[in-house]
Amino acid sequence: MTRALSDSEGRAEQQPPPGAASLTRRSARGGTWLARRVANVLRIERAGRTGRMVRDLLVYAGAVGAALAVGVPLVVGSGASVGEAAGALAEGMAGTPYALGSALNAAAVLALIAAGFTVAYRAGLVNIGSEGQLGVGGIGATAVGVNLPDATPAVLAVPLVLGAGFCAGAAWAAIAAWLKARRGVNEVITTLLLNFVGLGLVSLAVHEEGLLRQPVTSADTLPQSEPLAAGARLPLLVLTGSPATIAVLVAVAATVVTGIVLRRTATGTRLTAVGLSAPAARRLGLPVARLQIGALASAGGLSGTAGAALVATVPYVLAENFTSGYGFAGLVVGLLARRSLTAVAGISLLFGMLASGGINLQLAAGVPASSVQVVQSVLIIVIAGAMILRKETAR
């Protein structure tokens, strides 16, 4: 009888608890569903890329038409002729090597920020904190650049400055990432609020002599850092009369690498899975928290690299308001690109050329620079509206 009781207990221990088989089946079904969903998303992205590109080009062309319809009355109202304004805008966008170089530098900064935004967005996160990450990246780059010996070769100093910017931006974004992954705090709120803290740190750093402010020799000494060491300044591209720096090459490389990682690697597939459904990805065994932290930290790192590129370009100093709203503009580029790195490159170039052309429009034709901002806003509204309409129609 004792042996029979022992055998009965052994069989009971081997049997799973009530509901365990059902839970296992549900987990398996959830994992299978997520795997199929990820595969379908990636397959649809590859198959429909050409069709989407054509549709996007039509949308962008319509947006340009709407922007012209709004911009022409603004030009006429300012007292300039349409032909004069168009000529000044075209010359400022790409009419001279200097204008084209300025546009490329601006586009490089926007592309770095938008590429980072795309990485976070693929994991289901929205990084609103690019402006603050840009500022903190500039602080990190300046802290390294002003303390390097002038004799440091550029091949060593430039990677150190850009790497310091990346690390500073990544660490700043990691605060919001940790709060999201470990405490469930919405990253939109935390990254947005960290913008103000990051920009406040820039102001503090350039006003305090014990931090990064240059030595005060008179009442006219500006609140800014000392110039970066000669070797830490970004070299110019070999383009006659152009201020374009190797930041353009850095941005191109970052965009290409980001696209390869997101589309061709297991990491990209895992990020897509997390973005589609974090609970299902967790049941599938993916390290959701680690992937979310890594994605948002990478986004912050790329924004920090953009901040380092701004500091390492003329006039080679950290100053208040050096970010010039690039963080928010890069966010808009990332939103309009809709996870397409090709679109990131194109829209960044367009916005960079508009920024450069707007300066010349004000100088040569007397049209207020705010008119260009109005035109940019119309472009954003039309493109965003077309995307929303397309999504609602698809439903």
Side-chain angles (χ1 to χ4, degrees):
M1 177 155 179
T2 303
R3 187 181 299 110
L5 183 59
S6 175
D7 293 342
S8 176
E9 290 177 351
R11 286 193 300 271
E13 289 178 357
Q14 292 175 2
Q15 292 178 355
S22 176
L23 179 60
T24 302
R25 285 194 299 272
R26 287 198 300 270
S27 299
R29 284 198 299 269
T32 304
W33 169 84
L34 182 61
R36 286 200 303 268
R37 184 76 184 276
V38 171
N40 287 337
V41 168
L42 295 177
R43 185 167 55 252
I44 291 171
E45 283 189 355
R46 287 192 293 267
R49 197 170 299 155
T50 302
R52 286 201 313 272
M53 186 177 297
V54 173
R55 290 195 303 269
D56 288 344
L57 288 175
L58 293 175
V59 170
Y60 296 149
V64 170
L68 289 174
V70 173
V72 168
L74 292 175
V75 169
V76 174
S78 65
S81 67
V82 176
E84 181 186 6
L89 181 63
E91 184 180 1
M93 292 173 66
T96 64
Y98 186 89
L100 181 59
S102 299
L104 289 175
N105 284 339
V109 173
L110 294 175
L112 285 169
I113 297 169
F117 176 87
T118 304
V119 174
Y121 193 66
R122 182 61 66 99
L125 304 173
V126 181
N127 179 32
I128 308 293
S130 300
E131 189 79 2
Q133 295 152 13
L134 198 73
V136 174
I139 293 175
T142 304
V144 172
V146 298
N147 290 299
L148 288 173
D150 285 331
T152 306
V155 69
L156 176 62
V158 170
L160 285 175
V161 167
L162 296 179
F166 182 92
C167 293
W172 195 248
I175 298 173
W178 185 87
L179 290 172
K180 168 67 176 180
R182 301 300 184 185
R183 294 292 181 264
V185 182
N186 191 299
E187 79 282 357
V188 174
I189 297 174
T190 51
T191 53
L192 177 63
L193 294 178
L194 284 172
N195 279 331
F196 302 101
V197 183
L199 295 178
L201 289 176
V202 173
S203 179
L204 180 66
V206 299
H207 279 88
E208 292 295 329
E209 291 187 59
L211 297 176
L212 293 175
R213 181 170 183 173
Q214 62 183 339
V216 178
T217 57
S218 68
D220 296 328
T221 302
L222 296 175
Q224 61 186 30
S225 70
E226 293 184 84
L228 270 63
R233 303 171 184 180
L234 294 183
L236 296 176
L237 295 178
V238 186
L239 299 173
T240 305
S242 171
T245 68
I246 63 167
V248 178
L249 301 181
V250 172
V252 170
T255 304
V256 171
V257 171
T258 300
I260 293 173
V261 170
L262 292 182
R263 293 176 182 171
R264 304 294 181 184
T265 67
T267 299
T269 304
R270 294 188 183 104
L271 290 175
T272 302
V274 173
L276 290 173
S277 175
R282 192 174 289 110
R283 289 197 298 271
L284 194 60
L286 296 180
V288 174
R290 192 168 65 199
L291 287 168
Q292 288 180 332
I293 292 174
L296 198 52
S298 298
L302 288 172
S303 295
T305 304
L310 285 176
V311 169
T313 308
V314 178
Y316 310 114
V317 296
L318 178 71
E320 275 190 295
N321 303 318
F322 84 99
T323 58
S324 302
Y326 274 114
F328 296 115
L331 165 63
V332 172
V333 172
L335 286 170
L336 294 180
R338 296 189 308 118
R339 301 191 304 176
S340 169
L341 275 303
T342 303
V344 163
I347 298 173
S348 297
L349 182 59
L350 172 63
F351 274 46
M353 294 175 74
L354 282 174
S356 178
I359 296 173
N360 193 62
L361 190 65
Q362 184 178 18
L363 296 176
V367 178
S370 56
S371 299
V372 175
Q373 296 176 354
V374 172
V375 171
Q376 287 179 336
S377 300
V378 171
L379 286 170
I380 293 167
I381 292 171
V382 173
I383 295 173
M387 292 175 180
I388 294 172
L389 180 62
R390 184 191 308 163
K391 185 179 296 184
E392 293 296 329
T393 303
R395 289 179 182 175

